[in-house]
Amino acid sequence: MALSLRSWVANEGSKNILLVVWLTVNAVVFWRTFALYSYGPQYHYLHQILGMGLCVSRASASLLNLNCCLVLLPMCRSLLTHLRGTHKVWARSGRRLLDQSRSFHSACGTAICVFSVIHVSAHLVNAISFSVKFSDEFPSLNMAQYRGQDPRIIILTTVPGVTGVLMVVILFLMFTASTHCIRMSSYEVFWYTHNLFILFYVILMVHAVGGALKYQTNLDTHTPGCMPTNHSSAEDTSTNQERELEDWQQREPICREEAQFQSHFPETWLWVLVPLCVYCTERVCRYIRSRTPVTIVTVLSHPCDVIEVRMLKDGFKAKPGQYVLLNCPSVSSFENHPFTLTMCPTEKKRTFGIHLRVVGDWTERFSQLLFPEVSSGDHILPMMQQRNFPKVCVDGPFGSPSEEVFGYEQSVLIWEG
């Protein structure tokens, strides 16, 4: 029992600690934002109109900002590979934690979808509240133009509403195309829809510019709920009413000026700018690196529709267990598929290789370019025929859990047939 517990802590402990920390941060951010919009005096009048819809919509928006900030970092492959390589900084448990980057990316993506549903639902309620509870006392606070305005008009004629609808459509496409069945049956659909994240982030930063929700700016001269000055100058009040008015004035301060409101400064870009710049910078560097010419040296056809490709690239260095992203413009200009390196360059031999199995549309088209006329048995194309090979681009290498294979006394190889 103790041995199994130690094994669980060694293998799963760091992952679960990270999960607890992530959930705790989400809970704290949600509650702090919820409390701010519930009890903050600057939102007193807006809360009177929207009620709980205001608190839920803003709290879920804060979690969307947080997770949109985090979701890109696990996809910075070069950064993670560098961290994995710094063995003096990262212990084995830390490197094992990096192996969960894809799972963390999926968790953040799921959180974005869940809180988007909550955020959209709350704002639908807010649109109805703006129409039904139209404030005649503070016209500038209303998102509706008049009492009883169709909530659909409020949504479809404002910047937050239109951009919100567009982001919902993009998220729906990305989420559905990320499911296992679609990703396995049609990787192209997953790839193209997932790259809509660039458009999503652009719209996300525009979404907050509309300034649908406003806060009070003059709290020092207009205490929320204070009595207007015109009430104190009424001449037709009775003696009892005057006494009641004096008692009220002692309890409630008199407004020195009308309440003034303004929209928040857009803060979404503050959340996503740094990770977006890090990710875009890495993608640019990777694109430049992958443009270095790659020479296909040898292609071998093995049984069970397995193809071995041996290549040569200047300056390419890799460790056993790492993987590369392979791109073939003749098949698809934008698709990059990961393949584990089965042969790494050495000081004496600079070639490296991968094994791929023909199981999908991309690999099938790629194999047809490698073997225009496939024959039975092992097939070897010598170097003199390399001019007939298609152009390929290699991005990487990137770190993977397989790098740790030489750090253990015993290793277990499991073959899935």
Side-chain angles (χ1 to χ4, degrees):
M1 182 67 179
L3 180 60
S4 61
L5 179 61
R6 287 199 300 267
S7 299
W8 183 87
V9 171
N11 294 317
E12 304 292 336
S14 57
K15 180 184 70 174
N16 286 279
I17 291 174
L18 176 62
L19 178 62
V20 171
V21 171
W22 175 68
L23 292 174
T24 302
V25 171
N26 276 269
V28 170
V29 171
F30 185 91
W31 171 247
R32 291 191 62 178
T33 308
F34 188 94
L36 173 64
Y37 282 86
S38 294
Y39 308 111
Q42 64 271 42
Y43 304 107
H44 173 79
Y45 294 113
L46 186 61
H47 190 273
Q48 286 183 336
I49 300 175
L50 302 181
M52 291 294 293
L54 170 66
C55 308
V56 174
S57 63
R58 297 315 304 156
S60 56
S62 296
L63 294 187
L64 286 174
N65 289 334
L66 172 64
N67 287 281
C68 285
C69 168
L70 297 176
V71 73
L72 288 177
L73 297 178
M75 292 294 100
C76 296
R77 290 185 171 92
S78 297
L79 178 61
L80 296 181
T81 301
H82 173 72
L83 293 177
R84 179 185 293 278
T86 55
H87 291 261
K88 295 181 180 180
V89 177
W90 290 90
R92 179 175 293 177
S93 58
R95 296 196 300 274
R96 187 179 291 114
L97 188 61
L98 294 178
D99 300 338
Q100 306 297 328
S101 59
R102 189 176 297 274
S103 299
F104 185 67
H105 172 78
S106 300
C108 291
T110 303
I112 290 173
C113 293
V114 171
F115 291 118
S116 293
V117 173
I118 298 175
H119 182 71
V120 169
S121 301
H123 268 313
L124 291 176
V125 175
N126 290 341
I128 298 174
S129 299
F130 272 125
S131 175
V132 175
K133 300 180 181 180
F134 186 87
S135 176
D136 297 312
E137 186 178 3
F138 306 109
S140 61
L141 196 58
N142 297 289
M143 191 175 177
Q145 298 178 351
Y146 54 87
R147 184 181 298 274
Q149 185 179 13
D150 191 339
R152 292 172 294 184
I153 301 298
I154 300 176
I155 294 173
L156 298 178
T157 58
T158 58
V159 172
V162 174
T163 54
V165 171
L166 292 175
M167 286 192 293
V168 168
V169 173
I170 293 174
L171 272 181
F172 176 79
L173 294 175
M174 293 177 63
F175 182 78
T176 53
S178 299
T179 56
H180 180 77
C181 58
I182 295 180
R183 193 171 67 250
M184 293 295 101
S185 61
S186 182
Y187 186 84
E188 293 84 355
V189 174
F190 162 76
W191 175 257
Y192 290 118
T193 55
H194 225 63
N195 278 277
L196 290 174
F197 82 92
I198 300 175
L199 181 61
F200 176 84
Y201 273 88
V202 173
I203 299 177
L204 178 64
M205 288 185 281
V206 175
H207 178 69
V209 176
L213 306 179
K214 300 178 181 179
Y215 68 97
Q216 183 182 342
T217 58
N218 58 337
L219 294 176
D220 53 341
T221 57
H222 183 105
T223 303
C226 64
M227 185 185 69
T229 55
N230 57 352
H231 284 275
S232 62
S233 59
E235 298 179 355
D236 55 346
T237 56
S238 63
T239 303
N240 292 335
Q241 289 176 329
E242 289 179 354
R243 290 177 180 175
E244 292 178 359
L245 186 61
E246 290 176 357
D247 294 339
W248 185 33
Q249 291 176 0
Q250 292 177 359
R251 296 192 306 268
E252 301 291 339
I254 299 177
C255 306
R256 284 184 281 171
E257 64 178 17
E258 292 292 331
Q260 299 176 6
F261 305 95
Q262 74 175 32
S263 302
H264 278 287
F265 178 78
E267 297 180 353
T268 300
W269 66 274
L270 296 175
W271 287 84
V272 302
L273 183 62
V274 172
L276 191 61
C277 288
V278 171
Y279 180 81
C280 291
T281 301
E282 187 196 70
R283 287 297 297 265
V284 171
C285 295
R286 285 171 48 190
Y287 175 81
I288 296 174
R289 181 178 62 183
S290 64
R291 294 303 98 182
T292 303
V294 177
T295 302
I296 297 180
V297 178
T298 307
V299 177
L300 297 92
S301 177
H302 297 293
C304 301
D305 293 328
V306 175
I307 299 175
E308 180 181 357
V309 183
R310 298 178 183 176
M311 295 165 282
L312 184 65
K313 180 179 180 180
D314 292 338
F316 185 84
K317 298 180 181 179
K319 299 178 182 179
Q322 293 184 330
Y323 71 97
V324 295
L325 295 177
L326 192 65
N327 174 270
C328 181
S330 299
V331 178
S332 176
S333 300
F334 302 103
E335 290 185 42
N336 297 274
H337 291 262
F339 295 98
T340 301
L341 290 170
T342 53
M343 177 186 294
C344 292
T346 61
E347 295 181 358
K348 297 181 179 180
K349 194 172 184 179
R350 295 188 299 146
T351 57
F352 61 96
I354 61 172
H355 283 69
L356 60 93
R357 187 176 182 184
V358 183
V359 292
D361 296 338
W362 190 92
T363 53
E364 184 176 353
R365 293 196 296 267
F366 185 53
S367 65
Q368 291 173 355
L369 294 174
L370 295 176
F371 300 117
E373 297 179 359
V374 180
S375 60
S376 59
D378 284 359
H379 193 127
I380 301 178
L381 294 181
M383 194 167 183
M384 67 179 62
Q385 297 182 10
Q386 68 181 12
R387 56 186 177 86
N388 297 323
F389 292 146
K391 176 184 177 181
V392 295
C393 300
V394 173
D395 184 15
F398 302 108
S400 74
S402 302
E403 287 186 55
E404 304 292 329
V405 65
F406 297 114
Y408 296 88
E409 296 180 0
Q410 297 178 347
S411 300
V412 179
L413 178 64
I414 300 175
W415 170 262
E416 288 190 27

